[in-house]
Amino acid sequence: MPPEFFLANVWLIPLFPLAGAATMLFVGRRLSNKSVSWVGVGSVGLAMVFAFAAIVQLIARSPAQRVVEIVLFDWVPAGVMHTISGRVLNFSAPWGMLLDALSAVMIGVVTGVGFVIHVYSTGYMAHEGGYYRFFGYLNLFMFSMLVLVLANNLLLLFVGWEGVGLCSYLLIGFYFLRKSASDAGKKAFVVNRIGDAGFVLGLLLLLNTIGTLRFTEIGPAIEGGGFTVGNGVMTAIALLLFVGATGKSAQIPLYVWLPDAMEGPTPVSALIHAATMVTAGVYMITRMNVVFQLAPVALGAVATIGALTAIYAASMGLVQNDIKRVLAYSTISQLGYMFLALGVGAFTAGIFHLMTHAFFKALLFLGSGSVIHALGGEQDMRKMGALWGKIPQTAWTFLIATIAISGIPPLAGFVSKDAILAASFNARPVLWGIGFVTAGLTAFYMFRLVFLTFFGESRVAHGVEHHIHESPPSMTWPLIILAILSVVGGWIGWPESLGGSDHFAKFLDPVIARHAEVIAAVPEATERNTEWALMGISVLVALVGIGLAWYFYLRKPSLPGAFAEKSEGLYRLLYNKYYVDQIYDAMFVNRTKDLGTTLGAFDLGVIDGLGVNGAGWVARASSSLSMVWDKWIIDGLVNLAARIVWFFSYPVRMIQSGRVSNYALLIVLGVLVFLGYYLRVTGVTLHNMLR
C-alpha cells in the first residue's frame, strides 16, 4: 500500500454510504433484512475505517502540513466575474475534498457515532416495515453529511447542507402513514428552507465580494482585499450565513422543527440530534471563522442567540413528559452552548463540545429507544418508573450519559462545557451568567428524567409490566461503547489548569490561528485561579440541580404537582412551549389558508363563543365572495387568455390533425403551390421546365 494511501483517497469516504444508499433504494426491496443490514451497516463501517485511517495519517504530519485538498473535477466553471472590490477573477467551483484538523474531527464524529447508530438500528428496526428504505435514507444521510464536512468550498458544502435537509425530511416522516410524522417532516423541511435562504444570500454576497468560495483561498482573498474588523460587507455576509445556521442547528427563532422531529424512529433522532445535521451550523461558522472574526456585531449576535436559546430550551425541558422531547429540548439547549462559544471567539471550545455532546446525546437517545423498546412503545415518563433492575444495562449507561451532560467531572461534558463557560466569562460575563443558570436547569431536568424513568414506584401499565425486557446485544453494545466515550471522550481536551495539555485545542489551532493573526484575536485565557473558581461553581450548581430533582421526584413526589397547581400560569406557559407554535400558525400558516375557511373558524370559535348570534352570514358571504372572485376573476382571466389563443389559432389547428395521410396531402399541395408561383415569376413554362 502506498504511503498516505488513505489521505490520497479521502474522497472515497462519502462514496461508501452513497453506494449503500443506491443499493438499498434501487434493489433493497428484493434483499432480506440480513442482507440489508450487512450492506447498510457495512458501507458506513468502511467509511469509518477509511476516515480514522486518514486521520491517523494526517496526525502523523507536522501541524503546518495537516492540510490535504483533492480536486476531483471542475464542477462549476462560471468564467470571468467582477467583484465589489473591483477585481476581475476567473471563477470556478471545483468538486473537491478538504481534510484538515477541523474536517478530521467532524468525519471522526460523523462516521464513528453514525456507525454505532447504524448497528443499533439493526435491532431497533428489526420488525418494522420498510427496513431497506430506512437504511437507504440513513446511508444517504451519511453521504450528505460527509460531503458537507469534507467539501473544499462553500458551494459544495451547500450541496451537502441541502442533502441532509432532504434526508431529515425523509427520515422524520418515515412513518408517513401517521399524520403527525408527515407533518413533522414537512415542518422541518419548510423551516430549514427559511434559514437556507439566508445562507444562499450570504454565499452569493461572499462570492461577489472576494470572488472565491474555496476555503483555502477565502482567508488570503480577504487579507488581500484590505477588509478590516467591523467591515459592513463582512458583517452582512456573517449575519446571512448565521441565518442559515439558526435553521439547521435549531436556534431562536427557527428551532421549532426540532422537537417535532421526534416523530421519526429513535435512531433517526440520535443521528440528527447528536452527530450530524444539527451540528452543521456550528461546523459552518467555525469553518468560516475568518469572516465572522471580522464582524464583531455578527459574533455578538451568535453569542446572544446561543445563550438565549440555551436557557429558553432548558426551561421548556423542565416540564415535558415525553422522554424523547425532553432530550430534544436538551439538544437545542446544548447547541445554544456551542453557539455561545463561537460568539465569544472560542471556536475550538465550540467544536470540542460538539464532539463530546455527540457521545452522550447519542447515548441518551439510544438509551431512550431501549426504554421505549422495553415498554412496547411507551414514551410518557408518567407511565414508567422502577426500571433500574429490569433493564440494567440501559439504566447504567443512561445514568453515565446524564452525569456527563450535567457537567460532573471527570466525564466528557464537564471538560467541554466548562471550557465554554470560562471563555464566555472572560468575554461577556452576562452571557456566562445565562450559561451558568442553564447548567443548573440541565442537571435538574435530566435527573428528573432519570428518576421518573428508572427509580421510584412503578407506574407501568399492568399489561406491559410482565413483558419488560432488556434490549438485544445489537442495541446494548452501542450503548456501552458510547458510555465509555462519554466518560473518556473529553480527556483529550483536559485543561492545563487541571494538569492536562489540551491536545484538542492544539490540534485545531492551525485552522483558527491561520486567520486570527490578521484579524480580531480570541479573548485571552482566564486566570488559573479564576478558572478553578468557575469550575467549582459550575459543578456546585449542577449538584444543586441534581439534589433538587431527587427531592422533588423521589423524596417528595407530590411536590411537582402541588407546585404546578400553585404556578398554573407559568406551568402552562412552559408546557405549551411559550405558545410559539400557535403564534407562528397565526402569523404565517393560517394567513395562507382560504379566506372563507378562516372567517368561518373565526365565526364559530370567537363570535359564537362570545354569544353573538346570526353572525354566520359573515363567513358564508365571505366564502361566496371568495368563490365568485376565484371563478369569474382569477379563473376568468386565465380562461379568457386561453380562448383568445384558441380563436386566433383556428386555421393552424385545422391542419394539425395527427394523420399522416393528411400531412402527405398538404405536402403535395404545398409543392404544387410553390411550383406554380415559381413558373409565374420566372415565366418558364411547364413544358420547357420538364424538357
Short mmCIF file of all heavy atoms in Angstrom, two decimals, residues 239 242 295-308 337 339-346 419-437 522-524 526 534:
data_model
loop_
_atom_site.label_atom_id
_atom_site.label_comp_id
_atom_site.label_asym_id
_atom_site.label_seq_id
_atom_site.Cartn_x
_atom_site.Cartn_y
_atom_site.Cartn_z
N LEU A 239 -23.86 37.65 9.05
CA LEU A 239 -25.22 37.57 9.57
C LEU A 239 -26.10 36.69 8.68
O LEU A 239 -26.93 35.92 9.18
CB LEU A 239 -25.82 38.97 9.68
CG LEU A 239 -25.26 39.85 10.80
CD1 LEU A 239 -25.81 41.27 10.70
CD2 LEU A 239 -25.59 39.25 12.17
N PHE A 242 -25.26 33.19 9.31
CA PHE A 242 -25.77 32.81 10.63
C PHE A 242 -27.27 32.48 10.56
O PHE A 242 -27.75 31.61 11.29
CB PHE A 242 -25.52 33.93 11.63
CG PHE A 242 -26.08 33.67 13.00
CD1 PHE A 242 -25.79 32.49 13.67
CD2 PHE A 242 -26.89 34.59 13.63
CE1 PHE A 242 -26.30 32.23 14.93
CE2 PHE A 242 -27.41 34.36 14.89
CZ PHE A 242 -27.12 33.17 15.54
N ALA A 295 -16.33 40.43 11.91
CA ALA A 295 -17.67 41.00 12.12
C ALA A 295 -18.06 40.87 13.59
O ALA A 295 -18.81 39.96 13.95
CB ALA A 295 -18.68 40.30 11.22
N PRO A 296 -17.57 41.76 14.46
CA PRO A 296 -17.92 41.67 15.89
C PRO A 296 -19.42 41.73 16.15
O PRO A 296 -19.91 41.10 17.09
CB PRO A 296 -17.20 42.89 16.49
CG PRO A 296 -16.11 43.22 15.53
CD PRO A 296 -16.63 42.86 14.19
N VAL A 297 -20.15 42.48 15.34
CA VAL A 297 -21.60 42.57 15.52
C VAL A 297 -22.23 41.20 15.29
O VAL A 297 -23.11 40.75 16.05
CB VAL A 297 -22.21 43.61 14.57
CG1 VAL A 297 -23.73 43.57 14.62
CG2 VAL A 297 -21.71 45.01 14.93
N ALA A 298 -21.78 40.51 14.26
CA ALA A 298 -22.32 39.18 13.97
C ALA A 298 -21.94 38.19 15.08
O ALA A 298 -22.76 37.37 15.50
CB ALA A 298 -21.80 38.68 12.62
N LEU A 299 -20.70 38.27 15.56
CA LEU A 299 -20.30 37.39 16.65
C LEU A 299 -21.13 37.65 17.90
O LEU A 299 -21.53 36.72 18.61
CB LEU A 299 -18.81 37.58 16.98
CG LEU A 299 -17.81 36.88 16.06
CD1 LEU A 299 -16.39 37.18 16.51
CD2 LEU A 299 -18.04 35.38 16.03
N GLY A 300 -21.42 38.93 18.16
CA GLY A 300 -22.28 39.26 19.29
C GLY A 300 -23.67 38.66 19.14
O GLY A 300 -24.26 38.17 20.11
N ALA A 301 -24.19 38.69 17.91
CA ALA A 301 -25.50 38.09 17.65
C ALA A 301 -25.46 36.58 17.87
O ALA A 301 -26.37 35.99 18.44
CB ALA A 301 -25.95 38.41 16.23
N VAL A 302 -24.38 35.94 17.41
CA VAL A 302 -24.24 34.49 17.58
C VAL A 302 -24.22 34.14 19.06
O VAL A 302 -24.91 33.22 19.51
CB VAL A 302 -22.95 33.99 16.89
CG1 VAL A 302 -22.70 32.52 17.23
CG2 VAL A 302 -23.05 34.17 15.38
N ALA A 303 -23.42 34.87 19.84
CA ALA A 303 -23.31 34.59 21.28
C ALA A 303 -24.63 34.83 22.00
O ALA A 303 -25.05 34.01 22.84
CB ALA A 303 -22.21 35.44 21.90
N THR A 304 -25.29 35.94 21.68
CA THR A 304 -26.55 36.28 22.36
C THR A 304 -27.65 35.28 22.04
O THR A 304 -28.34 34.78 22.94
CB THR A 304 -26.99 37.70 21.97
OG1 THR A 304 -25.95 38.63 22.29
CG2 THR A 304 -28.26 38.09 22.70
N ILE A 305 -27.81 34.97 20.75
CA ILE A 305 -28.82 33.99 20.35
C ILE A 305 -28.52 32.63 20.97
O ILE A 305 -29.42 31.92 21.44
CB ILE A 305 -28.90 33.89 18.82
CG1 ILE A 305 -29.45 35.19 18.22
CG2 ILE A 305 -29.77 32.71 18.40
CD1 ILE A 305 -30.87 35.50 18.60
N GLY A 306 -27.24 32.26 20.99
CA GLY A 306 -26.87 30.97 21.58
C GLY A 306 -27.21 30.89 23.05
O GLY A 306 -27.79 29.90 23.51
N ALA A 307 -26.87 31.94 23.81
CA ALA A 307 -27.15 31.94 25.26
C ALA A 307 -28.65 31.93 25.52
O ALA A 307 -29.13 31.18 26.39
CB ALA A 307 -26.50 33.16 25.91
N LEU A 308 -29.39 32.75 24.79
CA LEU A 308 -30.84 32.79 24.99
C LEU A 308 -31.50 31.47 24.60
O LEU A 308 -32.43 31.00 25.28
CB LEU A 308 -31.45 33.94 24.18
CG LEU A 308 -31.06 35.36 24.63
CD1 LEU A 308 -31.67 36.40 23.70
CD2 LEU A 308 -31.50 35.61 26.07
N TYR A 337 -25.26 26.35 23.77
CA TYR A 337 -23.93 26.43 24.37
C TYR A 337 -22.85 26.54 23.30
O TYR A 337 -21.90 27.33 23.41
CB TYR A 337 -23.67 25.18 25.22
CG TYR A 337 -23.94 25.34 26.69
CD1 TYR A 337 -24.95 24.62 27.31
CD2 TYR A 337 -23.18 26.21 27.47
CE1 TYR A 337 -25.21 24.75 28.66
CE2 TYR A 337 -23.41 26.34 28.82
CZ TYR A 337 -24.43 25.61 29.42
OH TYR A 337 -24.68 25.75 30.76
N PHE A 339 -23.08 27.66 20.23
CA PHE A 339 -23.12 28.97 19.58
C PHE A 339 -22.61 30.06 20.51
O PHE A 339 -22.00 31.03 20.06
CB PHE A 339 -24.54 29.29 19.11
CG PHE A 339 -24.88 28.66 17.79
CD1 PHE A 339 -25.43 27.40 17.73
CD2 PHE A 339 -24.62 29.32 16.61
CE1 PHE A 339 -25.73 26.80 16.52
CE2 PHE A 339 -24.91 28.74 15.38
CZ PHE A 339 -25.46 27.48 15.33
N LEU A 340 -22.85 29.91 21.80
CA LEU A 340 -22.28 30.85 22.77
C LEU A 340 -20.76 30.83 22.67
O LEU A 340 -20.11 31.89 22.68
CB LEU A 340 -22.73 30.47 24.18
CG LEU A 340 -22.08 31.20 25.35
CD1 LEU A 340 -22.32 32.71 25.25
CD2 LEU A 340 -22.60 30.67 26.68
N ALA A 341 -20.18 29.65 22.57
CA ALA A 341 -18.72 29.54 22.44
C ALA A 341 -18.23 30.21 21.17
O ALA A 341 -17.26 30.99 21.19
CB ALA A 341 -18.31 28.07 22.45
N LEU A 342 -18.90 29.95 20.05
CA LEU A 342 -18.49 30.56 18.79
C LEU A 342 -18.59 32.07 18.86
O LEU A 342 -17.72 32.79 18.35
CB LEU A 342 -19.35 30.03 17.65
CG LEU A 342 -19.39 28.51 17.41
CD1 LEU A 342 -20.28 28.19 16.23
CD2 LEU A 342 -17.99 27.96 17.20
N GLY A 343 -19.64 32.57 19.49
CA GLY A 343 -19.87 34.01 19.53
C GLY A 343 -18.85 34.77 20.36
O GLY A 343 -18.61 35.96 20.12
N VAL A 344 -18.24 34.11 21.34
CA VAL A 344 -17.21 34.79 22.14
C VAL A 344 -15.82 34.48 21.62
O VAL A 344 -14.81 34.81 22.26
CB VAL A 344 -17.32 34.40 23.63
CG1 VAL A 344 -18.66 34.83 24.19
CG2 VAL A 344 -17.09 32.90 23.84
N GLY A 345 -15.75 33.87 20.44
CA GLY A 345 -14.46 33.62 19.80
C GLY A 345 -13.80 32.32 20.20
O GLY A 345 -12.69 32.03 19.73
N ALA A 346 -14.43 31.50 21.04
CA ALA A 346 -13.85 30.22 21.47
C ALA A 346 -14.27 29.12 20.50
O ALA A 346 -15.03 28.21 20.86
CB ALA A 346 -14.26 29.91 22.90
N ALA A 419 -15.08 24.68 29.43
CA ALA A 419 -14.28 25.48 28.51
C ALA A 419 -15.11 26.61 27.91
O ALA A 419 -14.63 27.74 27.74
CB ALA A 419 -13.71 24.58 27.40
N ILE A 420 -16.38 26.33 27.62
CA ILE A 420 -17.27 27.36 27.08
C ILE A 420 -17.58 28.41 28.13
O ILE A 420 -17.54 29.62 27.87
CB ILE A 420 -18.57 26.71 26.55
CG1 ILE A 420 -18.27 25.80 25.37
CG2 ILE A 420 -19.59 27.78 26.16
CD1 ILE A 420 -19.46 25.00 24.90
N LEU A 421 -17.89 27.96 29.35
CA LEU A 421 -18.23 28.91 30.41
C LEU A 421 -17.05 29.81 30.75
O LEU A 421 -17.21 31.01 31.01
CB LEU A 421 -18.71 28.15 31.65
CG LEU A 421 -20.07 27.45 31.51
CD1 LEU A 421 -20.40 26.67 32.77
CD2 LEU A 421 -21.17 28.46 31.21
N ALA A 422 -15.84 29.24 30.75
CA ALA A 422 -14.65 30.05 31.06
C ALA A 422 -14.44 31.11 29.99
O ALA A 422 -14.14 32.28 30.29
CB ALA A 422 -13.42 29.15 31.17
N ALA A 423 -14.60 30.72 28.72
CA ALA A 423 -14.41 31.68 27.63
C ALA A 423 -15.48 32.77 27.66
O ALA A 423 -15.19 33.96 27.44
CB ALA A 423 -14.44 30.96 26.29
N SER A 424 -16.72 32.40 27.94
CA SER A 424 -17.80 33.40 27.98
C SER A 424 -17.66 34.33 29.18
O SER A 424 -17.98 35.51 29.09
CB SER A 424 -19.16 32.70 28.01
OG SER A 424 -19.28 31.86 29.13
N PHE A 425 -17.17 33.82 30.30
CA PHE A 425 -16.94 34.68 31.47
C PHE A 425 -15.90 35.74 31.16
O PHE A 425 -16.05 36.90 31.55
CB PHE A 425 -16.49 33.83 32.66
CG PHE A 425 -16.21 34.63 33.91
CD1 PHE A 425 -17.25 34.99 34.76
CD2 PHE A 425 -14.92 35.03 34.23
CE1 PHE A 425 -17.02 35.73 35.90
CE2 PHE A 425 -14.67 35.77 35.36
CZ PHE A 425 -15.73 36.12 36.20
N ASN A 426 -14.86 35.37 30.47
CA ASN A 426 -13.80 36.31 30.14
C ASN A 426 -14.25 37.34 29.12
O ASN A 426 -13.77 38.48 29.13
CB ASN A 426 -12.58 35.55 29.59
CG ASN A 426 -11.34 36.42 29.51
OD1 ASN A 426 -10.94 37.04 30.49
ND2 ASN A 426 -10.76 36.49 28.34
N ALA A 427 -15.18 36.94 28.22
CA ALA A 427 -15.60 37.85 27.15
C ALA A 427 -16.84 38.66 27.53
O ALA A 427 -16.85 39.89 27.40
CB ALA A 427 -15.88 37.04 25.88
N ARG A 428 -17.89 37.99 28.01
CA ARG A 428 -19.15 38.66 28.32
C ARG A 428 -19.77 38.00 29.55
O ARG A 428 -20.49 37.01 29.44
CB ARG A 428 -20.11 38.58 27.12
CG ARG A 428 -19.56 39.26 25.87
CD ARG A 428 -20.49 39.14 24.68
NE ARG A 428 -21.69 39.90 24.86
CZ ARG A 428 -22.66 40.02 23.94
NH1 ARG A 428 -22.52 39.40 22.78
NH2 ARG A 428 -23.73 40.74 24.16
N PRO A 429 -19.49 38.53 30.74
CA PRO A 429 -19.95 37.90 31.98
C PRO A 429 -21.47 37.70 32.05
O PRO A 429 -21.94 36.75 32.68
CB PRO A 429 -19.47 38.87 33.07
CG PRO A 429 -18.29 39.55 32.46
CD PRO A 429 -18.61 39.68 31.00
N VAL A 430 -22.23 38.59 31.41
CA VAL A 430 -23.69 38.43 31.44
C VAL A 430 -24.10 37.12 30.77
O VAL A 430 -24.95 36.38 31.28
CB VAL A 430 -24.38 39.62 30.75
CG1 VAL A 430 -25.87 39.37 30.61
CG2 VAL A 430 -24.12 40.91 31.52
N LEU A 431 -23.46 36.82 29.65
CA LEU A 431 -23.78 35.58 28.95
C LEU A 431 -23.28 34.38 29.75
O LEU A 431 -23.91 33.31 29.71
CB LEU A 431 -23.15 35.59 27.55
CG LEU A 431 -23.66 36.68 26.60
CD1 LEU A 431 -23.02 36.53 25.23
CD2 LEU A 431 -25.18 36.64 26.49
N TRP A 432 -22.17 34.54 30.46
CA TRP A 432 -21.73 33.46 31.35
C TRP A 432 -22.81 33.17 32.40
O TRP A 432 -23.07 32.01 32.72
CB TRP A 432 -20.43 33.85 32.05
CG TRP A 432 -20.08 32.90 33.17
CD1 TRP A 432 -19.42 31.72 33.07
CD2 TRP A 432 -20.43 33.05 34.56
NE1 TRP A 432 -19.32 31.12 34.29
CE2 TRP A 432 -19.93 31.91 35.23
CE3 TRP A 432 -21.09 34.02 35.30
CZ2 TRP A 432 -20.08 31.72 36.60
CZ3 TRP A 432 -21.25 33.84 36.66
CH2 TRP A 432 -20.74 32.70 37.31
N GLY A 433 -23.43 34.23 32.93
CA GLY A 433 -24.48 34.03 33.93
C GLY A 433 -25.64 33.22 33.38
O GLY A 433 -26.18 32.34 34.06
N ILE A 434 -26.02 33.50 32.12
CA ILE A 434 -27.09 32.72 31.49
C ILE A 434 -26.67 31.26 31.34
O ILE A 434 -27.44 30.34 31.62
CB ILE A 434 -27.47 33.33 30.14
CG1 ILE A 434 -28.03 34.75 30.33
CG2 ILE A 434 -28.47 32.45 29.40
CD1 ILE A 434 -28.32 35.48 29.03
N GLY A 435 -25.42 31.05 30.89
CA GLY A 435 -24.92 29.68 30.76
C GLY A 435 -24.83 28.97 32.08
O GLY A 435 -25.09 27.76 32.17
N PHE A 436 -24.49 29.69 33.12
CA PHE A 436 -24.39 29.12 34.46
C PHE A 436 -25.76 28.64 34.95
O PHE A 436 -25.90 27.52 35.43
CB PHE A 436 -23.81 30.18 35.40
CG PHE A 436 -23.86 29.82 36.85
CD1 PHE A 436 -22.99 28.90 37.39
CD2 PHE A 436 -24.79 30.41 37.70
CE1 PHE A 436 -23.03 28.57 38.74
CE2 PHE A 436 -24.85 30.10 39.04
CZ PHE A 436 -23.96 29.16 39.56
N VAL A 437 -26.78 29.47 34.80
CA VAL A 437 -28.13 29.08 35.21
C VAL A 437 -28.61 27.89 34.37
O VAL A 437 -29.24 26.95 34.89
CB VAL A 437 -29.10 30.27 35.07
CG1 VAL A 437 -30.53 29.83 35.34
CG2 VAL A 437 -28.69 31.40 36.02
N VAL A 522 -8.80 36.10 19.61
CA VAL A 522 -9.67 35.44 20.58
C VAL A 522 -9.34 35.98 21.96
O VAL A 522 -8.19 36.27 22.26
CB VAL A 522 -9.44 33.91 20.52
CG1 VAL A 522 -10.24 33.20 21.59
CG2 VAL A 522 -9.80 33.39 19.15
N PRO A 523 -10.34 36.18 22.83
CA PRO A 523 -10.07 36.70 24.17
C PRO A 523 -8.98 35.90 24.88
O PRO A 523 -8.86 34.69 24.71
CB PRO A 523 -11.42 36.56 24.88
CG PRO A 523 -12.42 36.57 23.78
CD PRO A 523 -11.76 35.93 22.61
N GLU A 524 -8.21 36.58 25.69
CA GLU A 524 -7.13 35.94 26.43
C GLU A 524 -7.69 34.91 27.42
O GLU A 524 -8.82 35.00 27.87
CB GLU A 524 -6.31 36.98 27.18
CG GLU A 524 -5.61 37.97 26.24
CD GLU A 524 -4.82 38.99 27.03
OE1 GLU A 524 -4.84 38.92 28.28
OE2 GLU A 524 -4.21 39.87 26.42
N THR A 526 -8.55 32.78 30.68
CA THR A 526 -8.91 33.15 32.04
C THR A 526 -7.77 32.77 32.99
O THR A 526 -7.11 31.75 32.80
CB THR A 526 -10.19 32.41 32.45
OG1 THR A 526 -11.17 32.60 31.43
CG2 THR A 526 -10.71 32.92 33.76
N LEU A 534 -14.51 29.10 38.70
CA LEU A 534 -15.64 28.92 37.79
C LEU A 534 -16.03 27.45 37.67
O LEU A 534 -17.21 27.11 37.63
CB LEU A 534 -15.29 29.49 36.41
CG LEU A 534 -15.13 31.01 36.32
CD1 LEU A 534 -14.66 31.40 34.92
CD2 LEU A 534 -16.43 31.71 36.66
#
